[in-house]
């Protein structure tokens, strides 16, 4: 059902669907159906007076564009997520990229102007990497992954000479900022299994230390 609301086919893609683009477009619904993507999508839909994905989520080839070296991007002005099909290697890569970009869409609602302030750009990149492609790594490897990915992404918007310092400045606060996942209590073990207890609910407004600290 999330694909019904969010999935779109990029302009011109119907005319030139190569194998990778066709695969990406077909598997996008599966990626949006993952628990991580579902929670992010629900959280986005529940933010009042914010529609960051008017044009949905689509796959397209990015070769020959300024996004040629990226796996995907969230475009705030056009309110859409684009997955660069020619840079996606497999389903896990697609799932992680969708999760990463949905965090950016959520942050666009939470702090609508974040893209104009490099501190907030760095914070959102740390959050998106932490809840996206680095999410399932062991803690030590995860921190290194988040630093590396967030620095590279911040550099494209704020310059190579500033990126590392910007990420380092916001790193601890923003990696610990897990909204909207922080709206659920930590997992509890019961009879050898894990179960998740719902927290105060997705509509509850909680403090956001990572973003608020740099306004």
């Amino acid at each position: 059902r999330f694909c019904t609301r969010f999935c779109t086919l990029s302009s011109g893609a119907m005319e030139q669907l190569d194998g990778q683009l066709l695969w990406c477009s077909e598997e996008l619904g599966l990626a949006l159906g993952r628990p991580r993507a579902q929670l992010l999508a629900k959280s986005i839909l529940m933010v009042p007076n914010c529609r960051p994905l008017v044009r949905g989520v689509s796959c397209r080839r990015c070769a020959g564009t300024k996004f040629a070296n990226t796996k995907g991007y969230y475009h705030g002005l056009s309110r859409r997520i684009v997955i660069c099909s020619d840079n996606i290697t497999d389903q896990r890569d697609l799932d992680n990229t969708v999760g990463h970009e949905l965090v950016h869409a959520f942050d666009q609602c939470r702090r609508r102007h974040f893209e104009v302030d490099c501190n907030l750009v760095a914070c959102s990149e740390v959050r998106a990497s932490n809840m996206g492609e680095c999410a399932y790594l062991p803690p030590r490897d995860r921190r290194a992954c988040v630093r590396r990915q967030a620095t590279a992404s911040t550099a494209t918007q704020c310059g190579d000479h500033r990126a590392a310092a910007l990420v380092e400045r916001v790193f601890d606060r923003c990696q610990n900022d897990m909204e909207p996942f922080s709206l659920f209590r930590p997992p509890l073990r019961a009879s050898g299994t894990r179960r998740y207890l719902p927290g105060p609910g997705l509509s509850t407004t909680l403090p956001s230390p990572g973003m608020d600290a740099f306004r």
Side-chain angles (χ1 to χ4, degrees):
R1 63 178 178 176
F2 290 105
C3 197
T4 300
R5 181 166 298 199
F6 287 132
C7 291
T8 63
L9 198 58
S10 61
S11 177
M14 287 296 292
E15 300 174 4
Q16 298 182 7
L17 274 178
D18 63 21
Q20 189 69 4
L21 178 56
L22 180 60
W23 173 86
C24 181
S25 299
E26 289 177 343
E27 298 303 318
L28 188 54
L30 181 61
L32 284 166
R34 303 292 191 198
R36 170 178 51 179
Q38 286 189 33
L39 190 149
L40 285 163
K42 286 179 179 178
S43 301
I44 289 167
L45 291 172
M46 295 179 73
V47 177
N49 303 315
C50 185
R51 299 178 62 200
L53 290 173
V54 171
R55 295 181 61 188
V57 184
S58 63
C59 294
R60 62 167 292 179
R61 289 180 56 81
C62 295
T65 74
K66 67 178 182 179
F67 302 106
N69 296 320
T70 66
K71 293 180 181 293
Y73 59 92
Y74 172 69
H75 197 280
L77 293 178
S78 60
R79 302 188 196 182
R80 64 172 177 166
I81 288 171
V82 172
I83 306 300
C84 296
S85 62
D86 41 342
N87 295 328
I88 299 296
T89 58
D90 53 29
Q91 185 68 51
R92 176 178 292 184
D93 202 16
L94 178 59
D95 293 349
N96 287 336
T97 302
V98 167
H100 181 114
E101 302 307 332
L102 283 172
V103 172
H104 286 319
F106 178 78
D107 283 351
Q108 178 79 350
C109 281
R110 193 171 69 156
R111 297 289 181 266
R112 292 179 177 82
H113 65 287
F114 82 88
E115 72 275 13
V116 302
D117 185 315
C118 282
N119 286 322
L120 299 181
V121 168
C123 187
S124 189
E125 293 297 349
V126 168
R127 281 172 36 78
S129 298
N130 192 42
M131 292 182 271
E133 62 271 30
C134 305
Y136 300 112
L137 295 175
R140 181 179 297 178
D141 294 339
R142 183 177 185 177
R143 287 178 66 85
C145 176
V146 171
R147 272 195 172 89
R148 181 176 63 253
Q149 296 295 109
T151 299
S153 296
T154 301
T156 64
Q157 302 177 68
C158 300
D160 292 335
H161 63 293
R162 301 180 61 196
L166 286 164
V167 168
E168 196 59 35
R169 180 186 178 197
V170 305
F171 188 85
D172 288 334
R173 283 181 175 271
C174 298
Q175 190 185 30
N176 291 327
D177 178 5
M178 296 294 292
E179 192 177 349
F181 296 94
S182 59
L183 300 180
F184 288 80
R185 297 175 189 169
L188 298 179
R189 291 191 176 275
S191 303
T193 62
R194 280 191 172 191
R195 60 191 180 92
Y196 287 80
L197 297 180
L202 290 176
S203 60
T204 303
T205 301
L206 296 182
S208 306
M211 303 294 276
D212 287 337
F214 306 104
R215 293 187 66 187

